[in-house]
Every structure is written in C-alpha cells, then in structure tokens.
Amino acid sequence: MSDTTRDLPTPPDVIRCAYAELVVTDLQASKWFYTGLLGLVVTHETEDALYLRAFEEYLHHSLVVRQGPVAAAAKFAYRVRTPQDLDLAEAHYRALGVEVRRVPAGTTRGIGEAVQVVDPLGFPVEFFHEAEHVERFHQRYDLHGAGAISRLDHFNVVTPDVPAARAYYEGLGFKVSEDIEDDEGTVYAAWMYRKPTVHDVALTGGDGPRMHHIAFATHERSQILHLCDHLGAVRRSDQIERGPGRHGVSNAFYLYLLDPDGHRIEIYTHDYYTGDPDNPVITWDVHDNQRRDWWGNPVVPSWYANASTVLDLDGTPRPVTERTQDRESDVTIGADGFSYTRKDDEAVGFKVGHQV
Ligand SMILES: [Fe+2]
C-alpha cells in the first residue's frame, strides 16, 4: 500500500473524527443505553433512528444509531476544513482506486454534501464540511447528569496490517502519537491524530476490517466512575467489559462498555496535548504490562477477540481478512508467557526518588 500512496493528489484537510453511525437490532434497548445511561442528547428521532450529541457539541450529531437487521458499524465520518476539501477527498480516493460516492446535502440528516468511500482498509468512511448547528449544551448544567459526556473523541478500528494502515493514514495527513511494537519489528497498534489529542483513530492489529470501539470523552474521572455506579444500580454491570482503569498508551482514564448489541463504547478522559509539530512519538514494547493498563490489570480476552462487523456503502457486511502476524492478545494472554512490569536494568521510582 505504501507504493500506492506515493503520488496521490493532495489529501483533504481533515479536522477531526466527527460522527459514527451504528446499526442496532433493538432501537429501544439502545435508546436506554445511549440516552438513559450515557445521557447523550437526542437532536432528532425517527421511527428507526436516533441522532445523538454530547453536551459540548454543536453539530447536529456525533452518533447515529439506526435500526437494522444486523448489528454493525455503518459509517466513520471525518469533518474537513472547507467545502473545497470535498473535491480533494474525491480526487484522492479516486486515485487510490476505491469506491467513491459524492452524495448531496441531507443524505444523512443534518449533514451537508459529503464524499463517501470504502477506504483502502475496507472501512465505510465519509468526509463532510457543512453541518446543521444546534444548541451547545455545555452550560446546561440542569441537564447534565453526574456522568455527563462532553464530546466524541476517537474511533478504534481493527485491521490486519498495521504498518500499511499507518502509511495510508499518514497519506491522509494524520500523525502518530504512540504505537506498540516488539524487538522483531512487529507493529501491533498505532494511535493517529489530526486534532491535537492523542488520536482521532487507533489502528489495532487483528482480523479486519472490524470496529473495535468508538470513544466519548468526559471532563472528569468522577463522571466515568458514576457511569459504573449507575450500571450497578440498575443491575446492568454485565455491560461493563473492562475497567475503569488508567491506560499506559495515551495516559487516559478509561471504561469500556458494551451496548445491547455488543458494540464497544469507550468513555475516556485525561489524555494529553499533541498539537506542536515536534510532538514526540511514544513507542511501547508489546511485553510491557503497563501499556494497556497503567496499573497492570489484565485485559479481558473478549476485549482482544470481539469487534463489530462493518458495512459497505450499500449496507452489506464487509468480508474480514485474517491477520497473519503475531497478535497482541497472544503476548498478553500468555502464548509466549513473557511480559514485564519493569526491566531489571530500568530505574524505578522507589530507587531513584523524585529524580526522573
Ligand atoms: Fe480508545
């Protein structure tokens, strides 16, 4: 794939990940999860779809939840800086040789003209600039629950060949903030951004294309803890898949939930600023126990194994290609039985005090 990115037309100026569309099989069950538990604001509701946003957001939606026959991810949408960037997107993807559709405003409610593609990794991706504005509820504290969610933060997608996926996203102007490798050079995952945070999209090595999760941000850790308490109180603790915890990668405080169809939703806060041009890349050793959880807690096997089907532009499930390289789950769950919390020659806090 790196060969095909060499002479491509200028890519569109992507601002950030902007919204996702998920297909669910029981819209009422999903409505409780996304509005009753997570507290997302309903911008618009039809018989078969919910258009949702978080409290800081003023575009029409950051999540569409749509009733359908098979649970799947139908769209990953990025906002571009100007209307002219749609022309750049169209030319860029036509040169990549993938399916491209230019769709008129209103094809998705609240969203202007857009370019939809099946990207070279096999994901349904949309680029748009115009979008309907709605009221920003950031100071509607009368509506904020104790678990208030601020905004969409990122997508995490599963793909068999992470270096190829990284090259593709670099061709789209994304930069790497962190990645996971081993001494043999196998790359297990990479985090890439346009907005100045750790990521807009994370690339997880595995059978793909599949959606690993989408993530929403809160301002405070306490809001994430409240969501856990809320789930316990309504006897839905089985919808907590992993966490709460502190990530090594990204430094974020996290919680992974499963919606009623098993779509994984991360609630995320406290990552860091990456906007300077010389922002240093952090590379983690796949054997480092603290990369996924800073406190060393093990990762549940389902988190590595399960992911959502993705659809093509006509709503048909995309075929999945198997990853042939080593998987992170093999390292973590113990195929090689080797991992570490600290290396023997590594300086640690209790030896060096505050001299870091
Ligand atoms: Fe994430």
Side-chain angles (χ1 to χ4, degrees), residues 154-156 191 199 202 212-215 247 256 266 268 303:
H154 61 265
F155 308 138
N156 185 311
W191 283 256
H199 58 321
H212 193 272
H213 62 266
I214 59 174
H247 282 307
Y256 292 97
E266 182 181 17
Y268 175 99
W303 192 89

